[in-house]
Structures are given as structure tokens and as C-alpha cells.
Amino acid sequence: RGGKADSRGALVVLEGLDRCGKTTQSTRLVKNLERVGYSAELWRFPDRTTSVGKMISSYLSNESQLDDHTIHLLFSANRWEKRLVMLFFVVRNLAKIDQDENNVWLQNVLGIISTGQTLVKSLMESKLKSGTTLVVDRYSYSGVAFSSAKGLDIEWCKAPEIGLLAPDLVVYLDIPPEKAAERGGYGGERYEQLEFQKKVGQNYQVLHGPTWKIIDACSSMEEVEEQLQKMVLDCVKTCQEGKPLSCLWS
Ligand code: Z5A
């Protein structure tokens, strides 16, 4: 809708303290974008469905213990492993060729070789370049803000994220930790403690950059939704007009 035929989607990230409303708003945003004719997908980190994600989930629910550096690297690996999904498709297709009894195997091989570049590219980049806007609930900034709140060096925390795609827009849903603690479901997981969330909030301040916008997350859900949609539609248009993709932390 609206842009050049080969125009790309936008990479939009929602960040904030626990219970600030990311899940609510990212879900509404994707529906709203689709309703006005854009292709959009919701991603979230941690992605608890992968084997790395399951280790993270067990750590967060206090079922397992890990060194702070190790869990930080696992969160980062959970983002990097999205690249491997495309490799998996290549391997699976090659396996299929092996079993193929018809003569179509040659076309399959040629097809895979000619699209090989695309197949091994990051899934995120492929989605964006095919015109889909990705709405991502937490990303590298969560990794840095939460791990550095435990006392890890901020530059060390950023290092494993270098080379991942940089978002076109980061929306920070701003809520005082005390207000967030009053919301439903607070307190069930490892980081859901008031003093810790205060430190995380301070660390987020250091990460704010030119692509960041702030929304008052204490406003009603409808007000937040409206502001978010406006910001994202502006960003999607800029990306359609040819804004290039870049990498963290440039
Ligand atoms: N973590 C990390 O350390 N390193 C990393 O690299 C990454 C993450 C990616 C799990 O993340 C933990 O992992 C997280 C950071 C760390 N720890 N903490 N804290 P997660 O994203 O899976 O979980 P979460 O941050 O705890 O998300 P959440 O609990 O799902 O909260 P939310 O998505 O921000 O909020 P919500 O579910 O949309 O809303 C919460 C409640 O508030 C709910 O009852 C809503 O109905 C209500 N709500 C929402 N908006 C409003 C408004 N505007 N007014 C009133 N009430 C509202």
C-alpha cells in the first residue's frame, strides 16, 4: 500500500518496564496496520518457543539458575538464532531433493542455488524487504537495560548485539515502576521487583537515541494505541520512501 513496488516494511520495537503494556499495544498495532492495508507481523523476545528460549523461560521463572553473563548471551543468541531459520529451510529442501523420485530434482537444485543468497539472509531482513512491517515486543535494548541493572558493564552488554538490524523506530512505553507494579500479573517472574525495575528504567535512559519516541504508558489503552499508530504510520511511510536498513549500534 502507498509505496514503491519494492518498498520495504519498517522495523518497529516496543520497549519499557515490565507491565508497561507492550503485549497489549503490539497486538493492537499489528491489527490496526493490517486493517489499513499494510502487511505486518508481531515478533517478541524472548521467543520462548526455541530451545534457547526454553532455557530463558526456565531461568525467568526461577526453575533454573544461570550466571548473569550466560543468561545475557542466551537472550542475545535468541535474537541471532532467527537467522538460522532460513538455513533450516535450505537443509530441509535439500533433504527433500534426495528423496525425490522424479526428474524435478535438477530444477529444485538450480532453484535453491539461485535463491541461496536470499535463503541464508536473516529472516528479519527478508521479511522487511518483502514489505512486511515487523512489530517487535522487546529487543536488544531490553538485553542491555536488564543485564546492566545487575551490574554488568554496558559496553560488554551491547557487544553481542552488534550486527543485528537496527530498528527504524523504538517506542518507549513510559511508566513509573510503582504504577507498573499495581497492574495485573506483576511479581511472578525473576525481574519483577520494584527496586530492580527502577534500575532498569535508569538504564533505558542511557540508551535513548534519535530513533526513540516516548509515550506516556499511564494514559488509557486507547490513547496509547492512537499515538502509537500515528508514530508507526509515519515511520512506515519513511521506510517505503527508501530509508536504508542499518545495523546496531551505529
Ligand atoms: N529480558 C531480558 O532480560 N533480556 C532480553 O534481552 C529480553 C528480555 C528480550 C520477560 O520479558 C523478561 O525478560 C523481562 C525482561 C527480560 N522481565 N521483566 N520484567 P517478557 O516481554 O516476556 O515479559 P514482560 O516484560 O514481563 O511483559 P509482560 O508482563 O507481558 O508485560 P507487558 O507486555 O508490557 O504488558 P501487558 O501484558 O500488555 O499489560 C500488563 C497489564 O496491564 C495487563 O493486565 C493489561 O491489561 C494492563 N494494561 C496495559 N495497558 C494498560 C493501560 N494503558 N492502562 C491500564 N492498564 C493497562
Side-chain angles (χ1 to χ4, degrees), residues 16-25 44-46 48 60 75-76 79 137-140 142-144 146-147 183-184 189 191-192 197 217-221 224:
L17 299 183
D18 182 45
R19 318 311 281 162
C20 65
K22 295 173 287 75
T23 307
T24 307
Q25 294 300 335
R44 68 178 305 175
F45 293 109
R48 302 187 193 218
L60 287 172
F75 272 114
S76 185
R79 286 180 276 280
D137 180 348
R138 292 200 184 279
Y139 195 53
S140 305
S142 285
V144 177
F146 280 79
S147 292
R183 289 189 174 171
E189 286 201 330
Y191 296 151
E192 296 173 357
Q197 294 286 328
C218 296
S219 311
S220 73
M221 288 188 203
V224 176

Side-chain angles (χ1 to χ4, degrees), residues 65-124:
Q65 306 303 322
L66 288 168
D67 165 72
D68 292 343
H69 298 81
T70 309
I71 184 64
H72 179 77
L73 295 173
L74 285 180
F75 272 114
S76 185
N78 190 229
R79 286 180 276 280
W80 279 104
E81 69 182 341
K82 286 281 177 190
R83 298 177 78 94
L84 275 176
V85 177
M86 299 308 273
L87 275 174
F88 170 74
F89 285 130
V90 179
V91 174
R92 206 178 57 175
N93 280 342
L94 285 170
K96 254 195 236 155
I97 290 164
D98 205 29
Q99 294 158 11
D100 205 334
E101 286 169 14
N102 303 317
N103 272 343
V104 289
W105 68 271
L106 185 58
Q107 280 105 309
N108 281 338
V109 172
L110 291 175
I112 283 177
I113 292 169
S114 66
T115 56
Q117 286 289 87
T118 319
L119 285 166
V120 293
K121 220 165 40 187
S122 105
L123 181 57
M124 190 174 254

Side-chain angles (χ1 to χ4, degrees), residues 176-242:
E178 294 82 1
K179 288 266 176 213
E182 290 166 11
R183 289 189 174 171
Y186 193 88
E189 286 201 330
R190 187 182 284 264
Y191 296 151
E192 296 173 357
Q193 292 157 21
L194 194 53
E195 287 312 308
F196 186 73
Q197 294 286 328
K198 282 183 189 168
K199 281 192 207 153
V200 174
Q202 287 159 6
N203 292 342
Y204 267 125
Q205 303 299 318
V206 181
L207 296 172
H208 282 218
T211 53
W212 285 57
K213 292 202 187 298
I214 301 173
I215 294 181
D216 179 2
C218 296
S219 311
S220 73
M221 288 188 203
E222 290 66 34
E223 281 167 332
V224 176
E225 181 179 356
E226 199 184 318
Q227 285 181 53
L228 179 63
Q229 191 175 354
K230 192 177 171 311
M231 284 174 187
V232 172
L233 285 176
D234 287 347
C235 171
V236 169
K237 280 174 196 141
T238 313
C239 294
Q240 284 186 327
E241 283 158 11

